[in-house]
Amino acid sequence: MGENSNFILGIETSCDETSVSIVRNGREVISNIIYSQIAIHQPYGGVVPEIASRNHIKKISAITDQAFLEAGLKYHDVDAVAVTYGPGLIGSLLVGLSFAKSFAYGIGKPLMGVNHIDAHICANYIGNEEVKPPFVTLVASGGHSHLILVEDYNRYKVLGQTRDDAAGEAFDKIARTLGLGYPGGPAIDKIALTGNPEAINFPRSYLEENSYDFSFSGLKSAVLNYLNSMHMKNLEYKVEDVAASFQMAVVEVLASKTVRAAVEYGTDLVCLSGGVACNSLLRKITGELCTKNGIALSYPSLELCTDNGAMVACAGYYKFINKEFSSFDITAKPNLKI
Amino acid sequence: MKFESNSPEQTGKLGIAIGKSLVKGMVVCLDGEMGGGKTALSQGILRGLGVEGYITSPTYNIVNEYEKDGIMFYHFDVYRLESVEELYDIGFEEYLEDSIVIIEWAEKFRDHINGNILDIFIEKTGEINGRIIILRGDQEILRKIKEDSQQGE
């Protein structure tokens, strides 16, 4: 262990992934163990909260041991423990937070509570030395849709956010209606590849001219109305076309607002964060708009876009070097804001 | 009591009238199919209660909380809860104390929700944005909602 090596243990249990990771100096993943409950929740079409927290309890110790085993480190080798304390499901958050507190107390190292949205943004730093503030990032997942100006590590300016449904939530709900299953994002992404994105002209909700906010509930209603009217008229439609047209309506708005923000705030870098950053069309369209405007685009690997402990460890690292420690009476905050 | 709405905006306006009429301790049970306007109506209700800023869908977190003048408002979406035990496990009863609660998809657990309840059902009509919104509850509250909703017309 060199003098300048800091190992942070990152723990993430805010939703349906139990994940523990060890990251060196905020950028290098030493181990990142992710146990996903997706298969468990699939029959229900979404995360069932109580099942989620019960499974976190079952898995978290073993996953932590596996993270140390893969890293070839002992408990006392880590310098601090970072854990997501919100936003998320209360029961699930409490499992990770209680575990992290006892672990940090047990090894006598500091604890850092991390905001889940902050962690998604920090996923962009992992393995990418060239990603440095300032940049504009879209954080879009099942529970969030934020457009954020990252002025510095730990200094964020929220430019806009959703006024109703999150982008990933819209994907999940439309996928369920189309019978494509859970999680909706990958299912729609895949089937849309064989559909025509111009088949149906669903509305793009840009809101007021200068707004960086999002709204997806009108689009959700438009898709449901379309399906309903086709059923009533006994007309056939192609699920592929509906999925592709819906996806294009979401992606165009996300991509254009994100790149417009980068142009307005004069950053030469755009980052995509959160589960929706896995979407292949979002990556493509945002990339095209960035190229047109001479802006670089970066996004984490697929594994680091969805929930994981490495991004929590990374966010924790920037708190650690600023000595921003949390007290041991920190509580879970399901509605924590960024 | 029956209301008609022809747009999400109109649904929101009715929500505001409902919100202004609610009193501490009340529970709003809100049902209707996906895309019917449950969240739009809830947003109106919370605006009517005086909540400013963003009011977003509670689907992901199960419950979002807001506060105005020391009173807590809890906005639930219980769609993803599978059993009433899960409802109790997230501390549902504690949320009911001295607050105002809105529950989307309440029919799943309607038999287990007691107290001063306002039931709301949103039904789609044949028209694209057409909705019939049915309210059931305390007569005095319903009368006040009707009065408030007519004032803006």
Side-chain angles (χ1 to χ4, degrees), chain A residues 11-20 35 37 40 49-64 90-99, chain B residues 89:
Chain A
I11 297 173
E12 159 65 40
T13 63
S14 68
C15 193
D16 60 355
E17 264 90 19
T18 318
S19 180
V20 180
Y35 171 75
Q37 301 180 14
I40 298 172
E50 199 38 42
I51 298 182
S53 45
R54 237 179 288 143
N55 279 290
H56 287 309
I57 293 174
K58 273 194 219 158
K59 298 288 172 192
I60 194 159
S61 283
I63 287 172
T64 304
I90 181 75
S92 298
L93 288 167
L94 279 171
V95 175
L97 187 59
S98 312
F99 184 87
Chain B
D89 280 340

Side-chain angles (χ1 to χ4, degrees), chain A residues 235-301:
Chain A
L235 294 172
E236 295 205 355
Y237 59 85
K238 282 176 74 183
V239 171
E240 294 85 344
D241 288 349
V242 178
S245 303
F246 158 77
Q247 178 175 254
M248 186 56 92
V250 176
V251 163
E252 272 188 10
V253 175
L254 290 176
S256 64
K257 289 204 181 212
T258 304
V259 178
R260 180 160 64 81
V263 172
E264 186 185 328
Y265 287 90
T267 67
D268 51 16
L269 174 65
V270 160
C271 292
L272 300 176
S273 325
V276 179
C278 291
N279 185 275
S280 62
L281 188 71
L282 179 67
R283 291 179 170 197
K284 181 170 167 269
I285 304 270
T286 313
E288 287 168 4
L289 286 176
C290 281
T291 305
K292 248 187 231 168
N293 289 281
I295 294 168
L297 173 67
S298 183
Y299 38 76
S301 65

Side-chain angles (χ1 to χ4, degrees), chain A residues 14 23 116 184 203 208 261 288 326:
Chain A
S14 68
V23 172
H116 185 71
E208 304 81 29
E288 287 168 4
S326 302

Side-chain angles (χ1 to χ4, degrees), chain A residues 6-11 21-29 31-32 80-83 112 114-115 118-128 131 153-154 156 304 308-321:
Chain A
N6 288 125
F7 292 95
I8 310 291
L9 183 72
I11 297 173
S21 169
I22 298 169
V23 172
R24 191 202 325 247
N25 295 338
R27 298 257 177 186
E28 187 193 344
V29 177
S31 65
N32 187 29
V81 179
V83 61
M112 288 95 60
V114 166
N115 184 312
D118 182 10
H120 271 305
I121 295 170
C122 289
N124 282 287
Y125 301 134
I126 298 171
N128 279 325
V131 173
Y153 299 100
N154 274 341
Y156 300 135
L304 294 177
N308 64 87
M311 66 182 196
V312 178
C314 177
Y317 171 76
Y318 292 100
K319 290 187 184 299
F320 178 79
I321 54 177

Side-chain angles (χ1 to χ4, degrees), chain A residues 30-33 65-73:
Chain A
I30 308 297
S31 65
N32 187 29
I33 314 297
D65 282 340
Q66 208 182 331
F68 277 96
L69 191 70
E70 275 198 17
L73 295 173

Side-chain angles (χ1 to χ4, degrees), chain B residues 65-84:
Chain B
E65 49 185 68
Y66 306 90
E67 188 251 295
K68 175 82 182 177
D69 298 333
I71 303 179
M72 295 302 296
F73 311 130
Y74 298 105
H75 181 196
F76 280 82
D77 180 339
V78 297
Y79 182 85
R80 295 190 291 156
L81 299 182
E82 283 296 308
S83 69
V84 70

